[in-house]
């Protein structure tokens, strides 16, 4: 069960995360309410601001779009407003970007990572391969290098100091470096957003994960203006709803909430990691929104968690691995602890 950003590339298509209806059928006797730990989404969302009623009844305005662009520039450190495109979620960008490049490109994806990117490039007629690490700038390079930073589901990170010379060489050869920064709000120091607009660099930013508002459907493409215009033409007018524009402006402009939330998430993950270590879990990697774990031999934690009313992210193609998001409160934390200590 996965959301955009969950499945490892190469796996068969699977349901998306958060489908509690399926889990309720599988575990009819599980305690209620169900606790969804399957997604890498902040369990303490940004408080929605009061919205003008007219936002629900009129078309999105150019003024609202411009305000969101300014808020995005300030939040991400982008200097060129023409290098920003707001979209109704990053998934529509993942699906559309491959069609902006002529079919037949050599696309290398640094993995294992989640599985939405690979199929999107294949559907557009490109050759997709997985690579274990970044290529060296001096040597053969793909037409498109795709990486997720921080990576999902293992939290692996790539130092921008290593990415910059690689970007320069890829761009010199007419290629693209596509960096999915869906979880970079947790680690702004890793972001290449201040370079947005440079040739060859395409960045995806997700709004819903860090701000805990996945249902809002808001994401951003940061790219050279020509590619921004091409993608905007694919999306058509009024791509982002008026209420989403307003909420995005409020949240991206709230630097205090963002700083407080980073501390809160870090503290919560520290507590979770301490529990995992005490109960014998093998921690393979993490961000402050999720941890990738290996269960002890002989355990079936997906089954145990399900019986306890807890939905976690399992990987059918990699038995024994699972990913846990942050428990939203002490009740959820204690329920997780009760399963892990059996």
């Amino acid at each position: 069960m996965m959301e955009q950003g969950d499945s490892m590339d190469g796996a068969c298509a699977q349901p998306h995360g958060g489908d509690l209806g399926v889990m309720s059928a599988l575990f009819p006797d599980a305690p209620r309410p169900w606790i969804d730990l399957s997604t890498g989404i902040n369990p303490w969302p940004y408080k929605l601001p009061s919205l003008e009623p007219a936002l629900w009844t009129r078309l999105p305005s150019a003024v609202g779009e411009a305000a969101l662009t300014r808020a995005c520039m300030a939040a991400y450190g982008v200097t060129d407003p023409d290098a920003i495109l707001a979209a109704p979620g990053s998934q529509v960008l993942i699906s559309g970007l491959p069609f902006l490049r002529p079919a037949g490109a050599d696309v290398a994806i640094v993995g294992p990572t989640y599985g939405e990117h690979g199929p999107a490039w294949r559907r557009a007629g490109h050759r997709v391969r997985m690579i274990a690490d970044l290529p060296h700038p001096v040597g053969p390079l793909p037409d498109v290098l795709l990486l997720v930073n921080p990576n999902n589901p293992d939290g692996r990170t790539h130092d921008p100091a290593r990415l910059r010379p690689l970007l320069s060489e890829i761009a010199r050869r007419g290629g693209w470096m596509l960096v999915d920064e869906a979880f970079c709000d947790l680690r702004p120091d890793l972001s290449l957003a201040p370079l947005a607009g440079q040739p060859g660099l395409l960045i995806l930013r997700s709004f819903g994960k860090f701000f805990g508002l996945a249902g809002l459907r808001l994401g951003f493409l940061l790219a050279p203006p020509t590619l921004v215009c091409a993608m905007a033409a694919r999306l058509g007018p009024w791509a982002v709803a008026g209420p989403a524009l307003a909420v995005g402006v409020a949240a991206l402009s709230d630097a205090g909430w963002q700083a407080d939330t980073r501390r809160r998430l870090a503290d919560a993950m520290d507590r979770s990691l301490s529990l995992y270590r005490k109960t014998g879990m093998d921690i393979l990697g993490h961000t402050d929104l999720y941890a990738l774990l290996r269960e002890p031999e002989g355990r079936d934690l997906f089954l145990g968690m399900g019986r306890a009313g807890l939905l976690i992210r399992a990987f059918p193609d990699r038995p024994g691995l699972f990913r846990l998001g942050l428990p939203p409160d002490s009740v959820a934390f204690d329920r997780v602890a009760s399963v892990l200590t059996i």
Side-chain angles (χ1 to χ4, degrees):
M1 287 119 185
M2 67 187 182
E3 60 176 307
Q4 182 274 312
D6 280 356
S7 69
M8 291 191 185
D9 194 87
C12 296
Q14 303 168 39
H16 283 255
D19 193 343
L20 296 177
V22 172
M23 294 301 290
S24 295
L26 288 174
F27 301 98
D29 298 324
R32 301 298 195 269
W34 274 88
I35 297 170
D36 185 4
L37 304 177
S38 70
T39 66
I41 297 172
N42 182 357
W44 305 296
Y46 186 77
K47 184 178 179 181
L48 293 174
S50 297
L51 299 177
E52 295 180 56
L55 290 174
W56 300 99
T57 58
R58 69 187 181 211
L59 290 170
S61 70
V63 172
E65 292 170 350
L68 182 60
T69 295
R70 291 192 298 272
C72 182
M73 292 176 67
Y76 299 154
V78 179
T79 58
D80 183 358
D82 294 330
I84 298 172
L85 176 66
S90 56
Q91 181 57 51
V92 70
L93 299 170
I94 290 172
S95 299
L97 282 173
F99 291 95
L100 300 186
R101 193 163 182 106
D106 173 30
V107 180
I109 301 177
V110 181
T113 190
Y114 62 84
E116 300 292 344
H117 287 289
W121 285 89
R122 292 186 186 98
R123 285 193 297 270
H126 302 287
R127 306 185 310 275
V128 177
R129 57 191 172 93
M130 302 296 295
I131 58 177
D133 200 359
L134 297 172
H136 197 279
V138 179
L141 290 173
D143 300 315
V144 178
L145 176 64
L146 197 157
L147 59 131
V148 182
N149 194 30
N151 192 42
N152 189 1
D154 60 10
R156 179 184 181 186
T157 61
H158 300 279
D159 187 342
R162 188 180 176 194
L163 295 178
R164 289 190 186 99
L166 187 54
L167 167 64
S168 296
E169 186 57 27
I170 289 174
R172 187 184 71 80
R173 302 184 190 189
W176 291 356
M177 177 187 285
L178 174 54
V179 186
D180 189 327
E181 295 186 350
F183 293 96
C184 225
D185 292 278
L186 300 168
R187 291 284 309 275
D189 58 300
L190 296 175
S191 179
L192 292 180
L195 304 181
Q198 290 193 11
L201 177 62
L202 291 77
I203 300 170
L204 298 175
R205 295 295 296 240
S206 174
F207 176 86
K209 294 175 176 61
F210 177 72
F211 290 97
L213 297 172
L216 193 73
R217 307 314 302 142
L218 181 61
F220 300 94
L221 170 66
L222 313 179
T226 53
L227 286 175
V228 165
C229 288
M231 191 67 217
R234 286 188 63 89
L235 294 179
W238 312 302
V240 178
L245 294 175
V247 173
V249 169
L252 289 171
S253 302
D254 197 338
W257 183 91
Q258 294 171 44
D260 290 344
T261 296
R262 289 187 188 101
R263 288 190 290 269
R264 183 178 188 181
L265 294 174
D267 290 345
M269 182 52 67
D270 284 346
R271 185 186 183 204
S272 292
L273 294 177
S274 178
L275 170 65
Y276 304 151
R277 294 186 185 100
K278 289 177 182 176
T279 53
M281 298 295 107
D282 187 5
I283 302 169
L284 303 182
H286 68 91
T287 69
D288 286 338
L289 279 173
Y290 53 82
L292 181 66
L293 309 175
R294 179 183 289 116
E295 63 190 356
E297 189 172 349
R299 298 285 302 274
D300 187 342
L301 287 178
F302 185 82
L303 180 62
M305 293 284 186
R307 287 172 174 166
L310 299 163
L311 174 56
I312 64 173
R313 173 69 176 103
F315 301 95
D317 57 331
R318 291 169 174 81
L321 298 189
F322 64 98
R323 197 196 64 185
L324 275 177
L326 289 174
D329 52 37
S330 59
V331 173
F333 186 89
D334 291 343
R335 201 186 292 184
V336 171
S338 68
V339 175
L340 295 183
T341 53
I342 293 176

